[in-house]
Amino acid sequence: MRVSLRCGIALSFVALVVACGGATSEPAAVKTCAEDPSQPKCVTITPAIDSGLRFYAARNGRFVGTALDAAFGATTAYDGLVSREFSIITAANAQKWQTIHPTRTTYNYTRADAMLAFAQANGMKMRGHTLAWQNQNPAWLTGGGYPADTLAQILKDHITTVLTHYKGTIYAWDVVNEAFNANGSIAPTIWSNALGRGYIETAFRAARAADPAALLFYNDYNLEFTGAKQDSAFVLVQDFKARGVPIDGIGFQAHFQINADGTGVPSKSSLTSTFQRFAALGVKIHITELDIRVRTPGATPSELSAQTQAYADIVGACVAVPACEVITVWGVTDTESWVPSTFPGYGSALLFDGALAKKAAWAAVKAALGG
Ligand code: XIL
């Protein structure tokens, strides 16, 4: 029986705060975190971190996360901030095929294991990212010229090996990443080109078999906007649910851009409706890679205030929908963000500046979490 309460317990200097965000179709026999704080999905926040975002998230029964990359482990200031502010982490790159499966016969878990140990030592969870994607694959895979049946076996073996290594430790896996084009068709990838859309089901079944306790997610960008791509992800989840293919959640990457004309970010009400649409299928919702970029240099005051408001709206939409339990931002500081190199002319997309100082967006997130 799967226990899927979204609960948080926060111990502050003055009070014991118990927060449960409500259950989504759980069996009645499951205890709440207040009744049984030892459940694996209850979070205990220590007094030392009661001013971080994770404290406010826990009061809402939510996790707030970040993605770790090269800056992790480099300074105690950075690592200390991560453990104060966040209750769940993702490896930005360390669990991608290129890093974790560098040759056909070898796996390298060193960096991701260090992140997991850090998470465990600080009462944080870890999301796994990612098991089937088009990008950041090793040359042995992309240039191997393997026939379809061999590729299917390589995919299953990778998932089985990695999830067995992490069995019982990863809260949720992004099993398949970015499978759809903007028009809703299946994106051409090393997997779909050889195996058709069936590779998605193959990947989810292999993941469930290897670690039955991990929540399994489909993860993509631009699902936050209504349209053909969102519809294809919806049909995928609907079909998996109808046929009993294992899937537990949908990851909304949430990479947004503030445009001069005010577009680029869904409104709070539209995003709330989108989350409700997927929640009605009985899956959890994670915001997996949130960042909101502005023009750099030269963002106008109104663009900057639109960015702050957008952070409030995205977090507010999650808080409004019980099935939405994780809000992960894609990196800690603007300096380490992938945005400036990927979207030239844009940046300043995260909650902290390069000096680890909180930005207005941090306060907006805190307020949206009720802090
Ligand atoms: C990005 C990383 O942040 C970069 O460091 C890397 O160079 C490229 O990938 N969608 C995803 C993430 O699912 O894995 C990507 O991460 C950002 C887009």
Side-chain angles (χ1 to χ4, degrees):
M1 180 168 62
R2 177 170 302 277
V3 178
S4 55
L5 285 175
R6 298 171 299 94
C7 302
I9 295 182
L11 181 64
S12 77
F13 286 116
V14 290
L16 177 68
V17 181
V18 178
C20 288
T24 50
S25 64
E26 284 78 12
V30 174
K31 289 190 168 131
T32 66
C33 287
E35 292 164 332
D36 178 13
S38 68
Q39 290 181 74
K41 289 174 187 174
C42 300
V43 184
T44 304
I45 308 292
T46 63
I49 52 179
D50 72 356
S51 62
L53 293 177
R54 64 186 281 175
F55 172 78
Y56 303 105
R59 290 201 310 196
N60 286 282
R62 263 76 180 176
F63 302 100
V64 63
T66 194
L68 300 182
D69 207 357
F72 165 68
T75 65
T76 53
Y78 181 94
D79 291 0
L81 182 147
V82 171
S83 62
R84 276 195 309 280
E85 294 287 345
F86 300 104
S87 48
I88 190 164
I89 57 157
T90 308
N93 290 296
Q95 288 178 324
K96 292 173 178 173
W97 277 68
Q98 205 171 50
T99 308
I100 211 165
H101 198 167
T103 75
R104 191 169 175 187
T105 53
T106 57
Y107 288 81
N108 178 3
Y109 301 108
T110 311
R111 187 71 176 153
D113 282 4
M115 293 173 183
L116 175 63
F118 172 81
Q120 291 173 331
N122 289 285
M124 313 160 92
K125 298 189 179 304
M126 186 166 182
R127 298 189 82 265
H129 177 82
T130 180
L131 300 169
W133 191 28
Q134 172 61 8
N135 295 338
Q136 294 180 272
N137 289 319
W140 70 263
L141 177 66
T142 54
Y146 301 108
D149 57 345
T150 307
L151 262 185
Q153 196 58 50
I154 287 173
L155 178 63
K156 284 188 270 191
D157 287 348
H158 174 91
I159 292 172
T160 304
T161 305
V162 173
L163 267 68
T164 301
H165 178 84
Y166 288 110
K167 191 167 183 174
T169 65
I170 298 291
Y171 180 65
W173 276 101
D174 292 330
V175 178
V176 173
N177 204 34
E178 303 180 357
F180 296 110
N181 290 314
N183 70 2
S185 60
I186 288 283
T189 71
I190 184 168
W191 308 114
S192 64
N193 291 346
L195 307 170
R197 67 178 291 143
Y199 85 92
I200 304 176
E201 178 170 343
T202 299
F204 275 85
R205 288 193 185 280
R208 178 66 96 230
D211 185 357
L215 299 171
L216 306 183
F217 276 67
Y218 174 72
N219 189 51
D220 211 334
Y221 62 95
N222 281 351
L223 302 181
E224 305 86 12
F225 301 93
T226 55
K229 186 167 182 176
Q230 185 191 99
D231 291 347
S232 286
F234 183 85
V235 168
L236 173 83
V237 177
Q238 192 176 43
D239 172 57
F240 275 21
K241 283 289 184 187
R243 291 192 296 115
V245 180
I247 187 165
D248 303 300
I250 178 113
F252 291 80
Q253 291 186 6
H255 296 293
F256 299 121
Q257 175 172 307
I258 299 295
N259 297 319
D261 64 359
T263 62
V265 183
S267 69
K268 181 179 173 183
S269 66
S270 128
L271 191 58
T272 301
S273 301
T274 290
F275 287 168
Q276 286 166 339
R277 182 184 188 207
F278 282 87
L281 293 174
V283 290
K284 293 172 182 288
I285 289 156
H286 288 182
I287 296 172
T288 52
E289 305 182 14
L290 176 60
D291 50 28
I292 306 175
R293 58 190 180 266
V294 292
R295 290 189 295 137
T296 43
T300 63
S302 79
E303 286 165 1
L304 290 171
S305 72
Q307 181 197 42
T308 307
Q309 184 61 46
Y311 263 107
D313 288 347
I314 306 308
V315 174
C318 183
V319 170
V321 179
C324 183
E325 61 171 18
V326 169
I327 302 153
T328 287
V329 289
W330 202 242
V332 179
T333 69
D334 290 340
T335 322
E336 68 172 338
S337 167
W338 75 310
V339 166
S341 60
T342 312
F343 305 94
Y346 286 86
S348 197
L350 293 170
L351 306 181
F352 297 86
D353 69 18
L356 301 179
K358 293 167 184 166
K359 296 165 55 185
W362 181 94
V365 171
K366 174 184 164 184
L369 291 169

